[in-house]
Amino acid sequence: MNRDEIMEILPHRGAMLLLDEAENREGTAVGHYTVRGDEFFLKGHFPDNPIVPGVILCEILAQSACVLLKESLDRGQLPVYTGLNNVKFRSPVKPGDTIETRCRIKRAKHPFYFAEGTVTVEGRLCASAEFSFAVTGE
């Protein structure tokens, strides 16, 4: 999926759409985002040594996982975060890095979904988390 196709699933636009591409590989969402260096979240985090904030890495994971819900979402429904657990940050992500996410749904009881995922850069583990979200709306 390219950005236009991702926007058919996610309501995020502009600076908050944090995926360049994503796909569902047999139940695993794989997403990519290249950190350009001009993102709003890098301006103060940290001057002269920009590092992608951990909360942004978690948001990228959640956006990636929503690719797995493409067939389950009705028009007007919105997946929203409900929790984060066992979040670990292992290595910094910097401008120029291409992030790869891998997420899978561990269990679901509609409207709740429980997932886990990792963020890597060139095979280096940068973050991992368990998280949940709910599908809201119509």
Side-chain angles (χ1 to χ4, degrees), residues 6 10 18-25 27-35 52 56-68 81 93 98-104 116-129 131:
I6 293 166
L10 296 174
L18 299 170
L19 288 174
D20 295 325
E21 61 184 23
E23 63 182 307
N24 181 346
R25 293 186 189 163
T28 298
V30 179
H32 294 98
Y33 179 75
T34 299
V35 182
V52 176
I56 296 295
L57 297 177
C58 292
E59 177 63 24
I60 294 170
L61 279 174
Q63 289 184 22
S64 296
C66 289
V67 169
L68 298 171
Y81 248 141
V93 177
T98 297
I99 293 169
E100 179 175 281
T101 60
R102 290 188 174 268
C103 302
R104 69 178 189 88
E116 63 184 3
T118 60
V119 173
T120 60
V121 172
E122 296 181 0
R124 170 178 44 94
L125 181 62
C126 298
S128 61
F131 50 98

Side-chain angles (χ1 to χ4, degrees), residues 3-4 6-7 10 12-19 33 63:
R3 287 176 70 86
D4 289 333
I6 293 166
M7 286 190 291
L10 296 174
H12 303 74
R13 299 294 183 265
M16 281 308 297
L17 181 59
L18 299 170
L19 288 174
Y33 179 75
Q63 289 184 22

Side-chain angles (χ1 to χ4, degrees), residues 28-85:
T28 298
V30 179
H32 294 98
Y33 179 75
T34 299
V35 182
R36 299 178 313 276
D38 63 349
E39 289 89 351
F40 73 94
F41 50 80
L42 292 175
K43 289 182 178 23
H45 196 269
F46 300 98
D48 302 321
N49 186 23
I51 296 171
V52 176
V55 68
I56 296 295
L57 297 177
C58 292
E59 177 63 24
I60 294 170
L61 279 174
Q63 289 184 22
S64 296
C66 289
V67 169
L68 298 171
L69 298 180
K70 180 180 181 183
E71 305 304 320
S72 301
L73 291 175
D74 293 328
R75 189 162 196 78
Q77 289 187 313
L78 177 67
V80 294
Y81 248 141
T82 56
L84 282 163
N85 295 306

